[in-house]
Amino acid sequence: MDKTVEKTADRQSDRRRDDAARAAWLYFIAGRTQDEIAAQLDLSRQAVQRLVALAVSEKMIKFRLDHPVAACTELSARLTDRFALEFCDVTPSDPAAPGSTAGIAVAAAVRLQRLLSRKSAVTVCVGNGRTLRAAVEELDTMERPQHKVVSLVGAMAAGGQANPYDVVMRLGDKVGAQRYPVPAPVVTETVADREVLQDQRAFRALRELRDQADASFVGIGEIGWHAPIHRDGFLSDADVSALIEAGAVGEITGWSFDAAGRPLDNPVNRRVASLPLETPPQRLTVVVGGGKKKVAALKAALAGKLVSALITDEATAKALLAKR
């Protein structure tokens, strides 16, 4: 067997076992019905039946669920209840690589794959960032010219250089879909510049597409010195200083917010050229991310109802559930 084909088959098998473990935990331990599990995992009832049967045949079911996803599924249920989420996927953390987001990327790819595999036309909005870009690389290649992928965030830094972690163009390539980037920097030099850009016909068309979208997948970043949005040139030193002084703890698609999850009304946010945040979200809005540095930002975004679903790892999930 060709090594590439073999690797793809192994990856699909691992994902199916993970899905089987998750479905089995929800069925046998959480006491959910198969219809409830189907809705939560975005699967058919028949698919859920097959996954539960697989978990039994693979001997995952003993006195307890013998799979690392079991503990993660419990964390997922607690986070879903605490923050009233549509869903929460928690992946096992790698003790040997505590900073790795590889598992999060795979889990996000599974959700994206299910959505984009549909035959009917789908519109998906995306942010950018390392983890979300890694998720796109995990997707199987498909041909869905009827789908549309729409960027929520500007494609350039202030100096004109391209975003190295652009998602919309790569996702369009993977899926064979129509691509709609935002033809603007993340943050403009002046408020007047942003107003000119957002008054263009192309920007209005992007906003209409966002308003009709089926779902959004976004990354999240912390605000601080040498944070990715600063290190990659999207925010200047003066911008970071102003945001820290204003109490910013995180950002989604360039929009900064405080510890309560409230978008800031300050000079930096007034220059953001990304599509506006929906508060609260008007469609499924999934935040993808994890790591110690992002805990404060994630907790704020969840508390402020800036997102409606979460994909993260076990260590981050535990930190989000901690009282302090």
Side-chain angles (χ1 to χ4, degrees):
M1 182 183 291
D2 181 86
K3 288 185 177 179
T4 302
V5 175
E6 186 176 354
K7 183 178 179 182
T8 300
D10 289 344
R11 188 169 63 211
Q12 291 174 341
S13 177
D14 288 343
R15 290 178 183 174
R16 185 165 174 76
R17 282 177 54 82
D18 285 353
D19 283 345
R22 188 170 286 111
W25 190 94
L26 290 168
Y27 185 70
F28 289 105
I29 299 175
R32 307 284 173 83
T33 67
Q34 292 181 355
D35 287 334
E36 289 172 335
I37 298 169
Q40 182 168 339
L41 299 183
D42 192 23
L43 297 170
S44 68
R45 190 174 187 274
Q46 291 73 23
V48 171
Q49 289 175 336
R50 290 192 292 269
L51 288 173
V52 172
L54 175 62
V56 173
S57 67
E58 292 285 314
K59 301 188 185 303
M60 295 180 195
I61 306 299
K62 299 177 183 176
F63 179 73
R64 59 188 174 82
L65 186 59
D66 191 15
H67 191 283
V69 168
C72 295
T73 304
E74 182 177 0
L75 290 168
S76 168
R78 291 173 62 192
L79 283 166
T80 299
D81 290 343
R82 177 171 295 188
F83 295 106
L85 299 173
E86 293 190 41
F87 71 79
C88 174
D89 293 339
V90 178
T91 68
S93 297
D94 183 355
S100 173
T101 57
I104 299 172
V106 170
V110 170
R111 288 284 181 176
L112 276 168
Q113 185 92 23
R114 288 175 184 161
L115 181 62
L116 294 170
S117 294
R118 297 176 185 174
K119 302 296 184 182
S120 57
V122 170
T123 299
V124 178
C125 296
V126 292
N128 60 15
R130 293 162 175 79
T131 307
L132 207 52
R133 175 61 184 257
V136 172
E137 297 303 329
E138 291 288 338
L139 285 174
D140 297 333
T141 301
M142 61 184 86
E143 193 61 32
R144 295 290 189 274
Q146 70 274 27
H147 293 349
K148 296 175 182 177
V149 289
V150 182
S151 181
L152 296 170
V153 61
M156 299 175 290
Q161 60 267 48
N163 180 356
Y165 299 103
D166 172 76
V167 171
V168 68
M169 301 302 285
R170 182 58 180 147
L171 180 56
D173 290 342
K174 275 274 193 171
V175 179
Q178 303 167 56
R179 301 168 295 182
Y180 295 85
V182 175
V186 177
V187 181
T188 62
E189 291 188 11
T190 67
V191 174
D193 289 344
R194 190 214 68 200
E195 290 174 346
V196 168
L197 287 168
Q198 294 188 343
D199 194 45
Q200 293 178 3
R201 181 180 177 183
F203 192 92
R204 294 198 300 271
L206 286 171
R207 188 159 185 169
E208 289 174 4
L209 285 169
R210 192 278 309 274
D211 291 345
Q212 301 164 7
D214 298 275
S216 295
F217 285 75
V218 297
I220 191 166
E222 70 274 20
I223 295 295
W225 299 107
H226 307 300
I229 196 169
H230 178 218
R231 186 171 63 246
D232 294 338
F234 298 106
L235 292 179
S236 67
D237 289 355
D239 291 336
V240 173
S241 180
L243 288 172
I244 292 173
E245 187 174 346
V249 300
E251 57 83 19
I252 293 175
T253 63
W255 295 98
S256 299
F257 49 86
D258 65 16
R262 296 173 299 219
L264 297 176
D265 181 15
N266 78 327
V268 179
N269 261 10
R270 294 182 201 125
R271 291 164 32 228
V272 173
S274 303
L275 287 168
L277 288 178
E278 293 183 307
T279 52
Q282 300 302 301
R283 70 213 74 254
L284 174 66
T285 301
V286 186
V287 62
V288 179
K292 186 182 297 185
K293 292 182 178 180
K294 295 188 178 182
V295 170
L298 282 167
K299 187 173 286 189
L302 293 170
K305 308 295 184 186
L306 300 181
V307 297
S308 58
L310 168 67
I311 300 175
T312 191
D313 62 14
E314 186 176 3
T316 306
K318 289 178 179 177
L320 290 172
L321 289 165
K323 291 184 178 180
R324 292 296 298 173

